Amino acid sequence: MIDIKKFYLYFILLIVPIGLKAQDTAFINKLWIYKLNTFGNNALKQSDYSTAACCFERYVKLQPENENGYFCLGESYKYLRDYKKAEEAYFKAYEKSGQKNLEALYNHALMLKMNGDYKEAKKKFSEVLNELKKSKKYQELKKNVKAELSACDSTFKWVDSPKKILISHLDTNINKIYFEHSPVSINDSTFIYTSLRTNKKEYIYDNDTANIPLKKFYKAFWNKDKWVFEGEFNDIPVNKEGYNISNGAFSPDGKRFYFTRCKINWQNKIICAIYVSKIDEEGKWSEPVMLDEKINNPKYTSTMPTVGTESQKGNDVLYFISDNPKGKGKFDIWYSVYDKVKKTYSVPHNAGSKINTKENELSPYYDNETHTLYFSSDGLPGIGGMDVFRSIGDLNKYSPPENVGLPINSSADDIYYSESKNRENGFIVSNRKGGTFLKNETCCDDIYSFKRIEYINLDLKGIVKEKQDSISNFVKLIDSANISIYIKGNNNSENILIKNLTSNKNGSFSTKLETNYEYIFIISKDGYFNNKFELTTKNCNISQTFKKEVELTPIPEKPIIIKNIYYDFDEAKFISSSTSVIDTTILTLLNENPDLIVEISSHTDSKGSYKYNMTLSQRRAESVVNYLTSKGISKDRLIAKGYGESKPIAPNETPDGKDYPEGREKNRRTEFRVIGKLKNDKEPVIEYKE
């Protein structure tokens, strides 16, 4: 099998050999048959697909019935991204095998899909699956075929309902005949990108490293309704002779610029590493520095950085691509948290199996406003090869990835999704039909711009205020309240924290929302009980602003009576009907305020001895605590206290010494009061004691 990792490095990170010199073609034409086969297979192993294609074209001409020759020819065309020729070669291999080579038929179906013939592709995938059902072998292939059939069904839906987005190919002023990559918006009228910046038809070799043209960063600006080439990007000293430069990303505060430098070493291995340049107080950018070996493990490639902000603590998070074998697949998305105080990066962690598959994930882009990670994958059900997906979350917690659909995605490879500052426009890199090409119409990556024709802009504007009592008309607005925003988990899965906001001095807060999600907002501040509300953006098909007023109730210093908790005479355990009272009062409050520590207290009237009443009330308080712990509340948050008859709230007797039943009933009560909170390390801190 071909090393797909090396394939993607050549196509996405550097360049691929795209042809042979005339004398080399003449040399291949003189080779004997067995030499052609050997030479071609060696070229495939070395990712020299042009040479391989030339060898196997000659080979099948001399051996027209050879199944393996056509299959290898199909492999060569596939990695040259000549999907039409690959489609034909794979089908020839299937025919020559007597319709037994199901891998050839599977690849033929894949190429039909890459050429946009989804109906015929589904038909062929179904044929493969029907044959595979007869065999206990090929379990992995069977799984892949089922995934592709599901993808075809999804594609039919996307074809029937494409999103209202205008896709525009940037002309030859920007796109040349080779590869353009990694567009990055500086502002709404300027972007930088990577290119070889030539229309000269160079014919190069893997081993001819001295003559490989190198990629650099260039700048373009918006002028008279089109993007215009401005020149080499020199604002930051990123371009360097001898290296391929690509994959730029600014930190959220704009003070750091990350990018990739790649070079082929003496072992003919591509080495890519992430560098960073920083801006000083005078506005001057520093010489780039390669990040340490935690990020740039010298054994593996690290590339394609993007930067977001962690929702929990507000730290910057560097996301990047690596082929580290400890990942989930071939290329995975990893992340490292940047400590702004210590100016250090944490040991990288894998972004998790929600995002990463056993195949390839590439070109992450993090939208910090909505906490959405965009990335390309060929391991998730898609329209073509690499498709763009989005998922809300950060670090290793995300919502299920969603294919962004047509027309951002196409039947070809679609990578390097990014958005402009206004979020209505952006860029995509693709080898779809209609680009500037050299050898075949899907060979080469070009930059496309996109514009949302009907952009759905969803905003939330909220105010946090103190809940008014029944007497006062004064409205107190609460500043510095924390607003935690979650995406609601599906099928009982955990909710995903995506952002923390703080209300301003007027009690106001605002945020942007994405369509088709269910949000949970939890509002908290010291000295108040938490409050929360839910909001859905599903079925939102017009731009709108949601408005919400949130009231926070102050935590009282005095105990709060929980009414209607009853006990049988002389018994510590409360009666079964009292459970619903506890569930809807103190249990709900403890679940909504997970850091509060409360005292559960029980009281009696004055009947019986003082000692007896103290013991009975303690046991009753403990019965409530035991019930709450059985419902999942930590024991660290609960203190049981029996006060017996020592804290009456009503007389047990009338002034003339007669029994007063109404008063005794009020005294037989269960209460709670907040006495502390859990610290960040979950250690209890008792803030108040009588």
Side-chain angles (χ1 to χ4, degrees):
M1 294 295 291
I2 303 302
D3 183 354
I4 193 73
K5 290 194 291 189
K6 191 173 182 182
F7 158 66
Y8 272 114
L9 279 175
Y10 273 106
F11 269 107
I12 307 303
L13 306 179
L14 293 175
I15 55 175
V16 70
I18 44 78
L20 295 171
K21 294 180 180 179
Q23 63 265 35
D24 299 304
T25 304
F27 167 75
I28 288 173
N29 288 337
K30 293 178 181 179
L31 291 175
W32 292 356
I33 291 175
Y34 81 96
K35 282 285 188 181
L36 278 172
N37 186 53
T38 301
F39 203 64
N41 276 301
N42 286 337
L44 279 175
K45 291 176 182 177
Q46 296 171 13
S47 303
D48 184 357
Y49 305 116
S50 292
T51 300
C54 192
C55 288
F56 287 111
E57 284 170 350
R58 174 74 176 160
Y59 184 83
V60 298
K61 184 177 285 188
L62 299 175
Q63 293 283 312
E65 301 303 314
N66 189 283
E67 161 201 348
N68 186 63
Y70 279 109
F71 189 88
C72 291
L73 182 59
E75 294 284 274
S76 305
Y77 287 145
K78 178 171 71 174
Y79 293 128
L80 286 171
R81 301 202 286 187
D82 192 338
Y83 306 132
K84 199 65 184 175
K85 286 185 177 180
E87 174 192 320
E88 296 167 358
Y90 282 127
F91 192 70
K92 281 281 189 182
Y94 177 63
E95 285 184 321
K96 301 303 179 184
S97 72
Q99 298 185 342
K100 294 179 180 179
N101 189 336
L102 296 181
E103 189 176 356
L105 183 59
Y106 170 74
N107 278 281
H108 169 68
L110 279 179
M111 295 303 101
L112 284 166
K113 177 184 169 186
M114 297 291 283
N115 285 313
D117 192 348
Y118 301 110
K119 186 176 180 180
E120 188 65 21
K122 183 178 180 180
K123 178 181 175 182
K124 296 300 181 183
F125 283 130
S126 297
E127 288 180 22
V128 176
L129 186 60
N130 288 334
E131 290 298 319
L132 288 173
K133 287 178 180 177
K134 303 174 185 177
S135 172
K136 294 182 179 179
K137 299 179 181 179
Y138 310 111
Q139 292 303 311
E140 190 66 25
L141 182 58
K142 190 182 296 184
K143 190 186 300 183
N144 292 342
V145 172
K146 289 180 179 178
E148 290 297 341
L149 283 168
S150 174
C152 285
D153 289 336
S154 297
T155 300
F156 295 140
K157 297 177 185 176
W158 290 319
V159 169
D160 290 338
S161 56
K163 296 183 178 179
K164 295 181 179 180
I165 298 175
L166 177 65
I167 303 289
S168 300
H169 177 256
L170 305 192
D171 63 24
T172 54
N173 187 46
I174 304 294
N175 288 313
K176 299 301 181 181
I177 61 174
Y178 286 95
F179 306 92
E180 280 66 41
H181 284 161
S182 56
V184 180
S185 292
I186 295 179
N187 52 52
D188 289 337
S189 60
T190 310
F191 79 95
I192 61 175
Y193 67 101
T194 299
S195 176
L196 291 178
R197 198 63 198 167
T198 179
N199 271 330
K200 184 180 179 182
K201 296 183 179 181
E202 313 243 9
Y203 295 97
I204 59 176
Y205 300 91
D206 279 350
N207 59 4
D208 188 13
T209 56
N211 293 320
I212 294 179
L214 299 175
K215 290 184 178 182
K216 294 181 180 180
F217 273 117
Y218 296 92
K219 185 189 287 189
F221 66 98
W222 184 254
N223 182 40
K224 296 180 180 179
D225 298 327
K226 67 176 293 187
W227 289 105
V228 178
F229 174 74
E230 182 174 316
E232 190 171 326
F233 177 60
N234 294 317
D235 300 24
I236 305 174
V238 290
N239 293 328
K240 186 175 182 179
E241 292 301 320
Y243 288 86
N244 278 279
I245 316 298
S246 191
N247 306 305
F250 287 95
S251 61
D253 61 9
K255 294 181 178 180
R256 294 183 308 284
F257 182 76
Y258 298 88
F259 66 99
T260 300
R261 283 177 177 169
C262 298
K263 192 173 185 179
I264 300 177
N265 68 6
W266 63 276
Q267 295 176 310
N268 201 34
K269 182 179 179 181
I270 301 168
I271 301 296
C272 295
I274 298 173
Y275 288 71
V276 64
S277 177
K278 302 176 183 179
I279 193 169
D280 61 23
E281 294 179 356
E282 298 178 356
K284 184 178 180 181
W285 288 92
S286 67
E287 281 296 320
V289 176
M290 186 170 70
L291 300 185
D292 63 31
E293 290 191 2
K294 289 200 296 286
I295 308 295
N296 293 311
N297 188 318
K299 295 181 181 179
Y300 315 113
T301 279
S302 297
T303 185
M304 299 182 177
T306 187
V307 190
T309 301
E310 181 189 12
S311 58
Q312 189 71 49
K313 298 180 180 179
N315 293 316
D316 281 2
V317 183
L318 174 67
Y319 299 91
F320 62 97
I321 298 298
S322 175
D323 59 350
N324 189 315
K326 293 182 180 179
K328 308 293 180 183
K330 296 164 184 173
F331 277 100
D332 273 10
I333 299 174
W334 296 72
Y335 70 89
S336 173
V337 179
Y338 177 68
D339 188 318
K340 291 183 179 179
V341 177
K342 297 180 180 178
K343 301 185 187 316
T344 57
Y345 298 85
S346 70
V347 174
H349 293 278
N350 193 275
S353 55
K354 271 279 184 70
I355 298 297
N356 292 313
T357 69
K358 62 185 177 119
E359 299 301 328
N360 298 280
E361 279 65 50
L362 298 175
S363 59
Y365 167 77
Y366 200 86
D367 178 1
N368 212 46
E369 180 63 37
T370 60
H371 263 56
T372 303
L373 177 69
Y374 292 88
F375 62 98
S376 291
S377 174
D378 62 357
L380 295 167
I383 296 171
M386 301 295 297
D387 269 19
V388 179
F389 294 81
R390 72 169 189 169
S391 182
I392 290 185
D394 62 17
L395 303 182
N396 60 358
K397 292 185 178 180
Y398 295 93
S399 62
E402 173 192 353
N403 191 302
V404 301
L406 295 167
I408 294 294
N409 288 319
S410 69
S411 62
D413 289 327
D414 301 289
I415 55 176
Y416 287 113
Y417 176 96
S418 66
E419 293 179 348
S420 60
K421 301 299 180 182
N422 63 21
R423 303 179 69 250
E424 295 186 27
N425 307 307
F427 299 100
I428 188 74
V429 171
S430 180
N431 68 319
R432 65 185 67 188
K433 295 175 183 177
T436 305
F437 61 90
L438 177 62
K439 294 280 287 184
N440 65 77
E441 60 182 349
T442 54
C443 75
C444 307
D445 289 323
D446 275 2
I447 298 174
Y448 293 76
S449 65
F450 67 82
K451 179 178 177 61
R452 294 184 174 95
I453 299 172
E454 293 182 0
Y455 178 60
I456 300 175
N457 191 27
L458 301 177
D459 293 294
L460 170 67
K461 295 186 182 297
I463 293 178
V464 185
K465 61 183 182 179
E466 187 174 292
K467 187 172 183 179
Q468 292 178 257
D469 55 37
S470 58
I471 301 174
S472 174
N473 291 320
F474 175 72
V475 177
K476 180 180 178 182
L477 301 176
I478 301 176
D479 67 339
S480 302
N482 184 70
I483 299 94
S484 298
I485 307 174
Y486 294 81
I487 292 294
K488 196 172 186 178
N490 295 325
N491 301 321
N492 297 320
S493 61
E494 185 180 357
N495 297 329
I496 301 168
L497 175 65
I498 62 167
K499 190 183 293 188
N500 277 307
L501 304 175
T502 303
S503 61
N504 62 20
K505 63 181 181 179
N506 298 317
S508 299
F509 66 92
S510 63
T511 188
K512 287 191 174 295
L513 306 173
E514 287 284 270
T515 57
N516 296 318
Y517 286 102
E518 292 184 353
Y519 291 91
I520 299 173
F521 297 81
I522 297 178
I523 297 85
S524 61
K525 184 172 181 176
D526 285 347
Y528 293 86
F529 290 120
N530 293 354
N531 198 355
K532 76 172 185 178
F533 66 92
E534 297 185 12
L535 189 154
T536 182
T537 59
K538 291 187 175 180
N539 301 319
C540 288
N541 49 22
I542 59 171
S543 296
Q544 58 185 298
T545 298
F546 300 93
K547 294 185 178 181
K548 187 70 178 179
E549 287 189 356
V550 184
E551 292 184 327
L552 296 185
T553 301
I555 297 174
E557 293 184 9
K558 293 182 178 181
I560 301 171
I561 298 173
I562 311 174
K563 296 181 179 180
N564 302 321
I565 296 181
Y566 300 110
Y567 304 84
D568 286 331
F569 177 73
D570 200 30
E571 291 293 331
K573 185 173 177 58
F574 52 82
I575 63 176
S576 59
S577 62
S578 299
T579 58
S580 62
V581 176
I582 298 173
D583 289 348
T584 56
T585 55
I586 183 63
L587 180 60
T588 299
L589 182 142
L590 288 169
N591 282 327
E592 292 179 350
N593 297 267
D595 61 342
L596 291 187
I597 302 171
V598 299
E599 177 189 272
I600 306 295
S601 60
S602 182
H603 303 261
T604 68
D605 59 22
S606 61
K607 284 189 176 181
S609 69
Y610 184 88
K611 182 178 179 181
Y612 174 83
N613 286 334
M614 289 293 286
T615 302
L616 180 61
S617 64
Q618 180 65 32
R619 290 167 58 208
R620 285 179 171 176
E622 288 172 355
S623 74
V624 176
V625 166
N626 291 337
Y627 176 76
L628 291 170
T629 56
S630 74
K631 290 291 187 176
I633 304 301
S634 170
K635 286 185 178 181
D636 291 339
R637 301 177 58 202
L638 302 169
I639 294 176
K641 182 69 174 178
Y643 288 97
E645 60 188 79
S646 65
K647 291 181 177 289
I649 58 172
N652 290 297
E653 298 175 343
T654 61
D656 59 3
K658 293 181 180 179
D659 188 55
Y660 182 45
E662 291 85 354
R664 290 185 184 279
E665 184 179 350
K666 290 180 180 179
N667 289 331
R668 296 191 299 270
R669 68 196 187 277
T670 300
E671 300 174 334
F672 76 89
R673 65 188 177 98
V674 176
I675 61 172
K677 66 190 305 183
L678 296 176
K679 295 194 300 185
N680 290 334
D681 57 6
K682 301 304 179 185
E683 285 294 320
V685 177
I686 306 301
E687 296 178 330
Y688 172 75
K689 287 184 179 180
E690 284 193 317

